[in-house]
Amino acid sequence: MPKRPYDLPPLSALSSFEAAARHESFKSAAQELNVTPAAISHQVKALEAELGQQLFHRHQRGVELSQTGQMLQLTLQHGFEQISNVVTQLRQDSQTRAVTIGATTAVSSLWLTPRLARFWKRHGNIAVTQNVSDTDHAQTGCNLSIHYGDMTRDNGDCRPLFRDRIAALASPVFAAENPAETLANLAHLPLIHLNATDERWTDWRTWCTALDYDGPIGEGLRVNNYTIALQAAQDDMGVVLGWNALTAPLVQSGALVRLLPQDITAPLDFYIKTHASANERALLLRDWLLKDPP
């Protein structure tokens, strides 16, 4: 049988003895370690046999540490305390290194994730976790979170990322088959409507009104997720409202094109909120995102 590292008895025997010595009871040690008192007794006897020393005096009323047992207990307690301190520090370091940032599905996939890829190339020692949800209620536990709204009505440290512009986008195939020279032409095309639970998102009626068109608006596909709306537009299913900063990669790649030159300024900001749990690494990521162009 190969020799054990450090020439120690099995750790199961040592931990059983330490618990029994601390409680001065095999029964209490068994409850703590979720085993039977007989199992504790067996481990202690095996340890005594290996050491050739009696660790407990056994009486009818219970057990009592021998002098040798007291010496081993003190040594084990000191060792286990050191191990516990190191493990606790490692856990804290792991939590400290990680930064959690919350964002919606669309912001995460279209804007945040590409920037995090660039951030990791510069700061590979900082772990970043995304908490992706389309409701603000899921941002608890985050160090940072990205929102679309009026940040003056939010609490805490909020800083603007960008104020976007919104244009009408479609796939090149759809645009070629459905040329639109005016807002009236566009309004009669199949439009992709976003039935968002967040009423702050600009809809087709608001967009058209901002461009002085109050006529009828065409029906089309209705979805409840902006990422799905963009995918539907890429699949030639209709016209979608595109926030420039979010859809820039799709426009640059040619997956989507503008149907009209007109666009409007989004009524609200995309902003980043710093939560009370933010550490130095979270602040580094926040400042990096603030400097990175939209």
Side-chain angles (χ1 to χ4, degrees):
M1 182 176 178
K3 187 177 181 180
R4 290 189 293 265
Y6 309 111
D7 195 25
L8 290 174
L11 290 177
S12 58
L14 292 175
S15 62
S16 295
F17 165 76
E18 189 279 331
R22 182 161 29 86
H23 291 289
E24 289 193 337
S25 166
F26 287 4
K27 182 179 180 181
S28 297
Q31 291 175 343
E32 177 182 313
L33 298 179
N34 197 28
V35 296
T36 64
I40 296 293
S41 178
H42 175 77
Q43 292 283 2
V44 171
K45 286 180 179 179
L47 183 59
E48 288 176 325
E50 178 165 341
L51 298 176
Q53 301 278 351
Q54 186 177 8
L55 301 175
F56 287 98
H57 298 301
R58 291 161 176 83
H59 307 290
Q60 187 174 5
R61 66 181 183 275
V63 295
E64 181 183 358
L65 279 170
S66 66
Q67 186 174 357
T68 302
Q70 291 175 3
M71 180 176 64
L72 181 58
Q73 180 197 21
L74 290 174
T75 301
L76 286 176
Q77 282 184 339
H78 179 68
F80 285 156
E81 284 174 0
Q82 285 189 315
I83 294 171
S84 177
N85 290 339
V86 171
V87 169
T88 299
Q89 185 62 51
L90 290 173
R91 287 170 175 161
Q92 290 176 345
D93 287 347
S94 175
Q95 294 172 353
T96 301
R97 282 197 302 271
V99 176
T100 301
I101 182 168
T104 64
T105 306
V107 171
S108 171
S109 61
L110 299 170
W111 189 87
L112 179 59
T113 298
R115 283 160 176 78
L116 288 181
R118 296 197 291 271
F119 178 79
W120 283 330
K121 289 179 181 178
R122 289 176 173 262
H123 306 283
N125 61 317
I126 300 178
V128 180
T129 299
Q130 288 194 63
N131 184 0
V132 179
S133 173
D134 290 329
T135 65
D136 283 346
H137 303 295
Q139 304 307 339
T140 56
C142 292
N143 308 125
L144 306 168
S145 55
I146 296 175
H147 305 264
Y148 176 69
D150 182 357
M151 67 179 183
T152 63
R153 302 184 66 178
D154 204 337
N155 296 321
D157 183 350
C158 300
R159 307 188 184 195
L161 287 168
F162 54 89
R163 174 70 66 94
D164 215 346
R165 297 191 67 81
I166 308 171
L169 305 177
S171 70
V173 171
F174 184 94
E177 294 177 350
N178 299 274
E181 297 182 356
T182 66
L183 274 172
N185 296 148
L186 183 145
H188 287 85
L189 296 177
L191 304 180
I192 300 173
H193 298 266
L194 180 63
N195 292 339
T197 55
D198 188 345
E199 297 180 354
R200 293 170 296 186
W201 284 91
T202 299
D203 59 16
W204 275 109
R205 172 54 66 194
T206 303
W207 188 82
C208 289
T209 300
L211 292 172
D212 298 324
Y213 174 79
D214 294 320
I217 294 177
E219 284 298 321
L221 180 68
R222 291 185 176 273
V223 298
N224 64 354
N225 183 284
Y226 188 56
T227 305
I228 296 174
L230 292 175
Q231 185 59 56
Q234 294 174 74
D235 293 337
D236 313 324
M237 297 183 68
V239 190
V240 69
L241 287 174
W243 275 252
N244 288 355
L246 301 184
T247 59
L250 298 174
V251 173
Q252 291 167 3
S253 68
L256 294 176
V257 297
R258 282 196 179 202
L259 268 71
L260 292 173
Q262 296 98 317
D263 60 16
I264 69 169
T265 300
L268 300 167
D269 287 312
F270 284 93
Y271 65 91
I272 188 166
K273 180 176 181 177
T274 306
H275 296 259
S277 61
N279 51 33
E280 291 183 2
R281 291 175 173 84
L283 298 182
L284 178 63
L285 173 59
R286 179 201 64 188
D287 294 343
W288 193 90
L289 290 173
L290 288 169
K291 293 177 183 178
D292 196 55

